[in-house]
């Protein structure tokens, strides 16, 4: 398998395992979520951002996949995503207390993390789709 | 009230549907292909919301024959065959539902390449895919089936 294909596969896994699930609740709360959130919705947001009994914490899954990606393609720079996840982790106790500004920030971060990961995947995929063989 | 059957190996889709799709649907849940087929046989289901990957499911919970898949696709490697059945389990469940005559619209929350989605539609009829947990987009896909 080529380096480009392996890179795409790992980015697609990052989009799925980290991006899609970290934003599961956040993307449906709007830009200014109404707080306090309903208890089931807050619990969903907590599970998305920090993991649950059956799911891994996104920052841990991200780190695991980044290690694999760095071994294949060290040129992919996911530092902005890492920073976003780190900030999310730092807000955990405030979000668990349903602190309104922290919840709003978590919602924004989760959506940004998903968007950033998708943008990396798109950038990695587009050149292959538009490259034409010269005659 | 139309009934939406959520099929997944965890609870993430069900929670999402309860929180953001419930005003429009009564939500039912199946956590395996066999449970889904049993519910489809007994309930008037309007549409399906299906997880593609069942990576938390045990091999005995999966639809599809591990040994046969290993022999046909993976040189007898049952580990890779199990992984394949887990990764594609949503499609195996959809295929089983269709073979039992259940033609409801199926919606995946997955980023299928266009060609893959086209193939799924050729094989299984009414299939839609939304790349993210975008409730309005998922509702649009599900409700276009309801209003037909």
């Amino acid at each position: 398998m080529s380096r480009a294909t392996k890179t795409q596969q790992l980015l697609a896994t990052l989009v799925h395992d980290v991006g899609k699930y970290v934003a599961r609740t956040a993307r449906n709360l709007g830009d200014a979520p109404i707080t306090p959130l309903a208890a089931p919705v807050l619990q969903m947001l907590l599970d998305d951002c920090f993991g649950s009994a059956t799911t891994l914490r996104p920052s841990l899954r991200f780190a695991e996949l980044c290690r694999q990606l760095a071994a294949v393609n060290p040129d992919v720079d996911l530092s902005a995503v890492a920073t976003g996840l780190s900030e999310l982790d730092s807000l955990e106790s405030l979000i668990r207390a349903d602190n309104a500004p922290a919840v709003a920030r978590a919602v924004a971060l989760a959506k940004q993390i998903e968007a950033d990961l998708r943008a990396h995947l798109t950038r990695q995929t587009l050149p292959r789709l538009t490259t034409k063989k010269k005659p | 009230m139309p009934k939406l059957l959520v099929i997944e190996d965890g609870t993430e889709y069900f929670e999402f549907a309860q929180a953001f799709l419930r005003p429009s649907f009564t939500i039912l849940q199946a956590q395996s292909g066999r449970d889904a087929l049993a519910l489809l046989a007994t309930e008037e289901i309007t549409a399906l919301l299906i997880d593609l990957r069942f990576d938390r499911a045990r091999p005995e919970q999966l639809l599809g024959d591990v040994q046969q898949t290993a022999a046909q696709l993976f040189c007898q490697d049952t580990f890779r065959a199990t992984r394949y059945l887990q990764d594609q389990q949503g499609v195996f469940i959809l295929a089983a539902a269709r073979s039992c005559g259940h033609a409801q619209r199926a919606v995946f929350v997955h980023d299928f390449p266009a060609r893959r989605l086209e193939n799924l539609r050729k094989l299984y009829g009414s299939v839609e895919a939304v790349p993210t947990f975008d409730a309005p987009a998922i509702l649009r896909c599900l409700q276009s089936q309801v209003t037909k």
Side-chain angles (χ1 to χ4, degrees):
Chain A
M1 188 184 295
S2 72
R3 179 175 116 134
T5 305
K6 189 70 185 155
T7 301
Q8 278 177 30
Q9 278 189 353
L10 284 165
L11 283 169
T13 305
L14 275 160
V15 167
H16 179 274
D17 291 11
V18 178
K20 176 179 151 185
Y21 284 97
V22 81
R24 174 187 66 149
T25 307
R27 68 161 35 253
N28 294 292
L29 294 179
D31 291 332
I34 298 162
T35 52
L37 296 178
V41 175
L42 177 61
Q43 188 57 56
M44 284 174 65
L45 185 67
L46 289 167
D47 291 348
D48 295 349
C49 294
F50 310 117
S52 69
T54 56
T55 58
L56 206 57
R57 180 180 282 262
S59 57
L60 293 179
R61 181 66 176 144
F62 174 79
E64 183 183 310
L65 288 166
C66 273
R67 273 194 297 275
Q68 293 176 38
L69 184 58
V72 174
N73 187 345
D75 299 333
V76 180
D77 178 10
L78 296 175
S79 55
V81 178
T83 303
L85 285 164
S86 175
E87 184 181 347
L88 200 54
D89 279 347
S90 75
L91 294 171
E92 181 170 355
S93 57
L94 288 171
I95 299 166
R96 287 194 184 280
D98 204 4
N99 172 280
V103 167
R105 182 66 186 145
V107 165
L109 282 168
K111 288 193 281 195
Q112 190 60 51
I113 288 162
E114 183 185 34
D116 284 351
L117 286 170
R118 280 192 187 279
H120 275 285
L121 179 60
T122 303
R123 272 200 296 276
Q124 196 65 35
T125 308
L126 278 178
R128 287 190 73 213
L129 295 175
T130 54
T131 300
K132 287 181 182 170
K133 282 183 183 171
K134 289 180 182 171
Chain B
M1 174 79 80
K3 288 182 184 171
L4 174 66
L5 177 57
V6 176
I7 309 168
E8 62 174 334
D9 62 340
T11 58
E12 293 83 13
Y13 281 59
F14 182 67
E15 292 165 359
F16 163 79
Q18 290 275 35
F20 301 113
L21 308 179
R22 194 167 52 168
S24 307
F25 288 91
T26 299
I27 315 293
L28 300 167
Q29 184 191 31
Q31 289 187 300
S32 71
R34 289 177 193 86
D35 289 350
L37 293 174
L39 279 168
L40 282 163
T42 55
E43 299 277 347
E44 287 284 325
I45 304 291
T46 313
L48 312 172
L49 183 64
I50 312 178
D51 189 5
L52 179 64
R53 287 170 49 179
F54 278 55
D55 43 14
R56 288 166 284 184
R58 294 190 302 276
E60 63 272 19
Q61 294 174 308
L62 298 170
L63 293 188
D65 187 317
V66 174
Q67 300 299 334
Q68 194 180 348
T69 305
Q72 285 177 347
L73 300 177
F74 298 109
C75 304
Q76 310 293 343
D77 184 338
T78 54
F79 177 79
R80 287 177 65 203
T82 302
R83 184 71 184 272
Y84 172 77
L85 290 178
Q86 287 175 324
D87 285 350
Q88 301 299 323
Q89 185 63 192
V91 173
F92 280 88
I93 293 170
L94 179 60
R98 295 299 194 239
S99 72
C100 294
H102 303 295
Q104 294 91 338
R105 169 158 295 181
V107 177
F108 289 90
V109 184
H110 194 80
D111 208 352
F112 285 118
R115 190 180 291 178
R116 175 95 199 274
L117 187 56
E118 200 178 301
N119 284 337
L120 288 173
R121 287 177 176 147
K122 279 184 193 158
L123 289 167
Y124 305 121
S126 183
V127 180
E128 295 292 335
V130 179
T132 63
F133 282 102
D134 179 343
I138 292 169
L139 271 175
R140 277 195 296 278
C141 288
L142 293 168
Q143 286 176 329
S144 64
Q145 168 76 3
V146 174
T147 54
K148 271 183 183 173

